[in-house]
Amino acid sequence: MTTLQVASSLTTIAQQTRQAASKLAILSTEAKNQAIASVAQALESAKDEIVSANIADCEAATAAGIAKPLYKRLQLDEHKLRDAIAGVRDVGKLADPVGQVQIHRELDNGLVLKRVTCPLGVLGIIFEARPEAAIQIVSLAIKSGNGVILKCGKEAVRSCEAIVKAIKQGLSTTDVSPDVVQLLTTREETLELLKLDKYVDLIIPRGSNSFVRFVQENTRIPVLGHADGICHLYVDQAADINKAVQIAVDAKIQYAAACNAIETMLVHQAIAPEFLPQVAAALQAVDVELRGDQRTLEVLPDIAPAVDADWETEYSDLILAVKVVDSLEAAIAHINEYGSRHTDAIVTEDLATVETFFGLVNSAGVFHNCSTRFADGFRYGFGAEVGISTQQMPPRGPVGLEGLVTYKYQLTGDGHIVATYTGANAKAFTHRDLE
């Protein structure tokens, strides 16, 4: 199709999605939960078809020379699919984020203000690989009353087509129109989607840092996301070494391609001589390549030297940069200089040190004595997540239902006019909060 035809086609799709979303926005919690349950059942019924489609995607991606971290994200085996479907059902159990009264206030007798949560409208989700993201996103979109336009990477087209086909079949027997979910598959459609600020209310990109930056720089639509996942583990002088070793291994290898895996480990100089040989042995036993600064090399002379670029690199692989620091303050300064404001952790038994770390590290997630891999909407009890936000403004961190609603002010009077409350004989407001 020509660019003009793509634009016309996508505008029609966006209009359909917005119309379907407007009807979804006023459905009852029960109707939305029934739709979510039907989606879960349809995905379960299509399990073999989805897994087969993913195998075909993986084979094609391998032939095309896909990068190792991206390949891991692309894989969707029965276990991943099962967990994703469980996440759909978990979303169905969550409280409805729509229709929550945040403010209920009498401005004057008979003049009552409410602030009530409502859906955003239409979400544009653009993601590379990771087809299970489509499942998580759709369940959260339905629960929060939003339409969603999915744009998957070329490497995941077969998987996503099978997933969306099942989702639409599930929705076809419910009060939620299948048109609330749309799938795009070409780069040309991505570029046109970014222009649809009249119909799309929020763009959420999930992928490499260069990809996310491209999206941020090419749309007028608000963008929620993070460009990098450079996470740190700081091992303090008061750390329990056994805990620190276990946490470091998990945070690096449990899923090295994830954005919440650590890329740099900082070690207090007082504990380095004892800790570094133990953690190095544990990490090297699971094939992690270590790169150390000069002080680390003094303890571990056989590892590769780190260069400046290592401190600002998201490896998404079994590589870990290691640096010895003089103090807690030096560790915090390094994290705030090179980190991506995603998730950073400290291992220590000193609670005063924890408080300082929590207070001064400027990240969406600050963890104590646990793996950074816990930074996840499912693990937080959100049911699933649409993405991770590292911006200062909320929503921040893993974004679940609460990040997919906004609010509107509803004011009800009985012939009230502003002139009554102005001038020499102005009447006073009561401003009384109600139950």
Side-chain angles (χ1 to χ4, degrees):
M1 288 196 294
T2 66
T3 301
L4 193 60
Q5 288 172 321
V6 171
S8 176
S9 173
L10 203 49
T11 298
T12 301
I13 288 171
Q15 289 171 333
Q16 290 173 345
T17 310
R18 181 164 285 282
Q19 289 168 1
S22 66
K23 296 174 183 175
L24 169 60
I26 58 174
L27 284 182
S28 67
T29 301
E30 182 183 11
K32 290 188 290 187
N33 287 343
Q34 286 174 348
I36 289 168
S38 184
V39 164
Q41 183 58 52
L43 288 166
E44 223 155 45
S45 298
K47 179 179 64 177
D48 292 343
E49 183 182 344
I50 293 169
V51 171
S52 295
N54 184 252
I55 290 171
D57 277 335
C58 289
E59 289 174 349
T62 300
I66 190 173
K68 181 181 173 184
L70 201 59
Y71 182 83
K72 289 181 179 178
R73 292 174 179 171
L74 175 61
Q75 284 183 303
L76 180 61
D77 57 21
E78 287 191 27
H79 301 296
K80 265 191 185 178
L81 183 56
R82 178 198 63 206
D83 291 346
I85 294 170
V88 173
R89 292 196 166 102
D90 286 342
V91 170
K93 299 171 188 173
L94 296 175
D96 193 337
V98 177
Q100 301 294 318
V101 179
Q102 299 178 327
I103 293 174
H104 190 197
R105 181 171 299 153
E106 176 194 85
L107 305 189
D108 193 10
N109 186 36
L111 185 62
V112 177
L113 175 72
K114 288 183 180 180
R115 190 170 80 187
V116 184
T117 57
C118 60
L120 288 171
V122 175
L123 314 174
I125 317 289
I126 311 172
F127 56 100
E128 295 178 327
R130 197 168 289 165
E132 73 270 22
I135 297 173
Q136 298 174 346
I137 291 159
V138 168
S139 61
L140 291 170
I142 292 170
K143 186 74 179 215
S144 57
N146 292 292
V148 60
I149 300 174
L150 302 166
K151 166 58 182 70
C152 67
K154 63 180 184 299
E155 66 284 337
V157 168
R158 298 175 186 86
S159 304
C160 290
E161 285 177 340
I163 287 167
V164 171
K165 177 184 174 185
I167 289 170
K168 285 179 171 286
Q169 286 175 340
L171 292 177
S172 66
T173 61
T174 74
D175 291 337
V176 177
S177 168
D179 284 344
V180 299
V181 181
Q182 307 284 357
L183 177 67
L184 311 179
T185 59
T186 69
R187 178 177 172 80
E188 291 74 24
E189 289 173 321
T190 301
L191 298 173
E192 291 305 319
L193 175 63
L194 296 180
K195 299 174 184 176
L196 292 177
D197 51 301
K198 182 177 179 180
Y199 303 107
V200 179
D201 300 281
L202 181 68
I203 295 285
I204 304 177
R206 296 178 60 160
S208 67
N209 50 11
S210 59
F211 166 71
V212 174
R213 286 201 182 97
F214 172 83
V215 171
Q216 291 169 333
E217 293 167 2
N218 286 276
T219 187
R220 292 194 299 268
I221 304 169
V223 177
L224 185 152
H226 70 283
D228 298 290
I230 302 175
C231 301
H232 297 77
L233 178 67
Y234 167 56
V235 181
D236 184 55
Q237 61 180 332
D240 177 307
I241 286 180
N242 289 333
K243 282 183 193 174
V245 170
Q246 291 180 353
I247 291 167
V249 171
D250 184 87
K252 180 69 252 185
I253 75 151
Q254 199 278 327
Y255 186 16
C259 59
N260 57 12
I262 58 170
E263 307 294 9
T264 297
M265 180 169 64
L266 305 171
V267 182
H268 193 287
Q269 54 87 20
I271 203 172
E274 183 181 3
F275 172 68
L276 283 175
Q278 295 185 46
V279 75
L283 288 164
Q284 288 170 334
V286 286
D287 300 321
V288 176
E289 176 192 336
L290 299 178
R291 300 178 183 177
D293 73 332
Q294 187 56 46
R295 296 170 76 181
T296 301
L297 293 174
E298 291 170 7
V299 182
L300 303 173
D302 295 330
I303 69 171
V307 297
D308 289 345
D310 284 306
W311 312 125
E312 52 191 12
T313 298
E314 182 179 7
Y315 304 111
S316 299
D317 203 353
L318 295 176
I319 304 170
L320 182 65
V322 185
K323 183 178 184 179
V324 173
V325 294
D326 288 325
S327 62
L328 167 67
E329 292 72 23
I332 292 171
H334 180 99
I335 291 169
N336 287 339
E337 172 70 20
Y338 294 103
S340 57
R341 300 185 179 184
H342 191 300
T343 305
D344 298 289
I346 181 173
V347 182
T348 186
E349 300 304 306
D350 185 330
L351 295 184
T353 297
V354 176
E355 289 304 309
T356 301
F357 186 88
F358 279 10
L360 296 181
V361 170
N362 189 20
S363 298
V366 283
F367 291 6
H368 172 220
N369 283 358
C370 58
S371 171
T372 55
R373 287 282 292 123
F374 283 108
D376 177 85
F378 177 75
R379 295 186 179 107
Y380 282 6
F382 297 169
E385 67 184 39
V386 292
I388 300 268
S389 173
T390 55
Q391 62 188 18
Q392 292 294 95
M393 296 292 289
R396 200 178 188 203
V399 179
L401 291 172
E402 85 292 337
L404 300 181
V405 294
T406 183
Y407 52 77
K408 59 180 68 171
Y409 289 95
Q410 301 175 354
L411 185 62
T412 301
D414 186 20
H416 291 74
I417 57 173
V418 169
T420 307
Y421 305 90
T422 60
N425 298 310
K427 188 178 181 184
F429 291 104
T430 58
H431 287 161
R432 181 171 65 93
D433 287 333
L434 305 173
E435 289 294 327

